[in-house]
Amino acid sequence: MKRQLRVEVNDMVILNRDVEVTPFVIIEKGTIGKVKEETFPYYFEVEFFENKLYWVDGLYLDVVLEDE
């Protein structure tokens, strides 16, 4: 798998660590989602399972790319 350095809107991303997105709601490392929106400074609204949207720091996201 190749790595893209910059996360962008509509990218498929995977969490590289467990993230607490709201108090007592933790999304586990390895969960895949789709980026819906970006805001300053480097935070992304990501759609995870069942259309749930959460803001996540870009440092916790890796872009999922298919091998060419």
Side-chain angles (χ1 to χ4, degrees):
M1 180 185 311
K2 292 183 282 179
R3 181 146 196 257
Q4 178 177 318
L5 297 178
R6 178 90 172 114
V7 176
E8 298 176 358
V9 174
N10 293 322
D11 282 344
M12 294 300 291
V13 292
I14 188 168
L15 291 176
N16 58 29
R17 65 179 73 175
D18 291 351
V19 177
E20 185 173 18
V21 290
T22 62
F24 307 111
V25 175
I26 296 173
I27 300 179
E28 295 179 353
K29 175 181 178 179
T31 303
I32 295 176
K34 183 173 184 176
V35 176
K36 294 297 187 179
E37 190 174 339
E38 178 180 1
T39 190
F40 181 82
Y42 205 57
Y43 269 77
F44 299 89
E45 185 177 43
V46 181
E47 179 181 11
F48 291 105
F49 36 77
E50 300 175 0
N51 298 323
K52 304 244 183 193
L53 298 169
Y54 297 104
W55 288 98
V56 179
D57 188 326
L59 298 175
Y60 304 144
L61 300 173
D62 290 328
V63 177
V64 176
L65 295 175
E66 293 182 17
D67 289 332
E68 295 182 282

